[in-house]
Every structure is written in structure tokens, then in C-alpha cells.
Amino acid sequence: MKLVFLGSDEIALPCLQALRASEAGYDICGVITQPDRRSGRGRLLHSNPIKKWAMEHGIPVREPVNPAEPEIAWIKGLGADLALVMAYGHILSNGILDATPCGCFNLHASLLPEYRGASPIETSLAAGDNQTGVTLMRVIQRMDAGPLIDSETVPILASDTGASLRKKIGLACVPLLMRSMPVLSVGDFPQTKQNESLASYCRKLTKEDGRLDFSLSAHEIECRSRAFSTWPGTWFPYHDENLKVGGLSVFQGEFDLLPGQRYAEKTDSLVLGTGKGLIEIMELQKPGGRMVPVSDFLRGYPLPEHVSFPVPIGTLPLVR
């Protein structure tokens, strides 16, 4: 069976590797991915992990800004039987969806209909959920709203970060896809309509989402810090600088502090009040510096004992 894959994120690499190594004869005959992006201090062009993997294995690649008629013709010319999508970032046209005889299917990193949209992994962590997963669905022209075929549940541990959970979900795609491919290839598979009343949507993250909102509870702040550890990171403003947080934890204590207020008695640490409970910041980094333990940071960057850090005026919800 010949497949064309559409995606750009390394989260899909485990399932691509498994498909290619399978003895069932799955042939990834083409990849459509995002164009190279400029990044880093030199603003050099860099290819995404999916393009790099495809090039290493001699798989033809196309990287349109938006897939359109040329990509429809290309898919048909490859003779692909089925299209598989994961973390591509486009609403696909009917022409793309109908370009393969067996259809187009998506691996989405949540247990749909919960957390449709752009940031399901980080949002589930930030929400304090104890499980998430990956769902296989048939693609329609509405964002993550197609009929459900199968899913794989992934537990969320108290130690999980955005990076570790992404890795777990990527690995969970493998058993899900391996048991589903035989029925997808013959068109004989169950399809369950999503319950629209249970649907929720998570938006694309912004840099501002990483700002500490001390009006939230200590538990919520700790969950968000783990969720955003890779990007956008966690930070808070002080004077004219943004101080980056490398790690924080819920502090076990019952001191009466206002949100953002420092516990003055612990001069070699940084314990702060929140909307409910306390947090202890473990590592800090100033602009142009490096991430260091708070005790080291405070020796070179002393903070007033009774400092109170600003509380932002409202935090945009991650889910609607």
C-alpha cells in the first residue's frame, strides 16, 4: 500500500519509522510538509524534522505554503492509496481529501472531541489532566471534527513536561496506527460521529502565555510551567527586564502572602504567594545570562526582601 504523509512535526517520526519498517508493505511514497523556516541568531533557513527524515530515506518531498492543485496532481501521480496527516497546520481542501482512493486520515494529539486545535498537548498539561492520548479520525473540512476511528490513551504523570508528553504521544501513535492500517486499507472500519456538545478548542500558544500569573493557584502555575517548559517558557517581569524561570514547584507552607509577594524570611530562596498556596522558584535567568539555581542568582542579582512582582490583568484562557 502506498501512502502520502502530510506533516511537519517530529512527533510523527515514530509512526513514520514504524510504517517504513513494517513487513505489511506500507510504502511512504511522498511527503508534503511546511517550507523551511528561518531561526536562530543568524536567521538561517532550517528544514523541519519530517523533511529531513524524508530526504534521508529518498522520499519525494513537496513544501508548499498552502497545498493546492499542484499537490493534488502530485499525489495522484504518485499513485498513493491513502493520505495520513499529523501536526500539519492546514485545513485541507476537498481536492486533497479526495486525492487518494482510501481517503485521508489524521492522528490528533488528544482524546477527541476534547482539545481540538493547535496546542492539545500543552493545554492538557496546563489544565492538570491526568490523561490524554492520540485519536485517529477521518479528515473532513472542519478542524479536527471528523468521525472517530480509534484512540490510544496516554497517562500524564506529575513529572511530565511538554517535551516528555509529546514523546509519549508520538510513541502511542505506533500501536494505534499498526492496528488500524489493515482496516483503513480496505475501507472497512468503524466511524463514530463526534459529540459536538463535548467539543473544546485550544488555541495557538503565544509568548505571553509563559508569563507567570500569580493570581492563579500554585497548582495551576506549576502545571503551566511544566506544559510550557520548551516554549514559550515561563517568565515574569521585574523592573525593565523579563526574568526566565527554569523550574518551580508548589511550596508546602501556610504563610499569608499576597499574589506575587515574596516570603521575606527565606533570603536565599524565592517563595512567592499565589491566588491559592505558594510556589518556590528553583532556577532563574536574567537577559543575556545563563540559567542558575536561585541561590546563585540572588547573590549576583539581589531582590528586596519584601518585593511583590506584578500580577497581569487577566490571563487568556487556553480553551474555549
Side-chain angles (χ1 to χ4, degrees):
M1 175 178 230
K2 299 177 73 173
L3 300 91
V4 65
F5 177 78
L6 298 88
S8 303
D9 195 296
E10 64 184 350
I11 193 172
L13 286 177
C15 66
L16 292 177
Q17 292 162 346
L19 285 168
R20 195 167 189 276
S22 171
E23 297 180 356
Y26 302 124
D27 174 19
I28 303 171
C29 62
V31 164
I32 298 177
T33 191
Q34 297 279 0
D36 294 351
R37 308 289 189 196
R38 295 190 182 276
S39 62
R41 291 187 178 181
R43 304 303 295 165
L44 300 176
L45 282 172
H46 293 277
S47 301
N48 66 65
I50 299 300
K51 178 183 175 181
K52 290 179 181 177
W53 180 85
M55 299 290 284
E56 288 170 2
H57 293 88
I59 299 171
V61 175
R62 287 182 74 92
E63 41 190 328
V65 174
N66 288 295
E69 290 297 328
E71 284 65 50
I72 296 171
W74 185 71
I75 292 172
K76 292 180 177 179
L78 291 172
D81 301 296
L82 180 147
L84 182 66
V85 186
M86 189 174 193
Y88 183 40
H90 287 290
I91 300 293
L92 300 175
S93 68
N94 282 328
I96 296 286
L97 301 185
D98 297 336
T100 55
C102 292
C104 183
F105 303 89
N106 179 47
L107 290 161
H108 181 73
S110 78
L111 297 175
L112 290 170
E114 190 174 43
Y115 302 143
R116 297 175 181 176
S119 58
I121 297 173
E122 293 80 8
T123 300
S124 62
L125 262 175
D129 296 342
N130 58 20
Q131 71 174 25
T132 183
V134 59
T135 302
L136 179 66
M137 56 171 246
R138 184 169 61 79
V139 182
I140 64 173
Q141 271 202 299
R142 283 182 56 214
M143 184 173 60
D144 303 324
L148 310 178
I149 297 166
D150 198 358
S151 64
E152 187 81 9
T153 300
V154 175
I156 300 177
L157 305 180
S159 58
D160 270 325
T161 63
S164 68
L165 188 55
R166 287 173 64 80
K167 187 174 293 186
K168 287 163 63 172
I169 287 179
L171 293 173
C173 291
V174 176
L176 171 60
L177 199 56
M178 290 299 101
R179 68 173 176 258
S180 300
M181 283 301 298
V183 295
L184 296 183
S185 63
V186 297
D188 182 21
F189 51 87
Q191 297 186 69
T192 303
K193 186 177 180 180
Q194 293 191 41
N195 186 338
E196 292 294 326
S197 68
L198 300 178
S200 60
Y201 294 83
C202 52
R203 59 176 173 79
K204 186 176 181 179
L205 299 177
T206 71
K207 181 66 177 177
E208 191 66 21
D209 289 314
R211 177 173 175 168
L212 284 181
D213 182 351
F214 299 107
S215 69
L216 301 176
S217 72
H219 175 68
E220 289 175 301
I221 291 172
E222 191 271 339
C223 287
R224 289 173 70 97
S225 178
R226 287 187 289 113
F228 305 151
S229 59
T230 301
W231 198 88
T234 304
W235 57 276
F236 61 91
Y238 180 61
H239 291 168
D240 295 327
E241 297 182 320
N242 291 334
L243 303 182
K244 187 174 181 179
V245 177
L248 59 79
S249 62
V250 175
F251 185 81
Q252 301 303 319
E254 298 183 3
F255 314 116
D256 189 16
L257 299 176
L258 295 173
Q261 181 183 6
R262 183 183 182 188
Y263 177 52
E265 300 301 320
K266 292 180 70 67
T267 57
D268 62 343
S269 64
L270 193 56
V271 175
L272 303 172
T274 73
K276 181 179 180 182
L278 306 170
I279 58 167
E280 180 173 11
I281 294 177
M282 316 303 291
E283 297 176 305
L284 276 174
Q285 178 182 351
K286 64 181 179 180
R290 60 187 180 88
M291 188 69 68
V292 296
V294 160
S295 57
D296 294 342
F297 183 90
L298 293 175
R299 280 194 285 271
Y301 194 112
L303 297 172
E305 291 184 2
H306 296 283
V307 67
S308 286
F309 298 108
V311 177
I313 303 174
T315 295
L316 286 175
L318 296 173
V319 181
R320 63 176 173 85

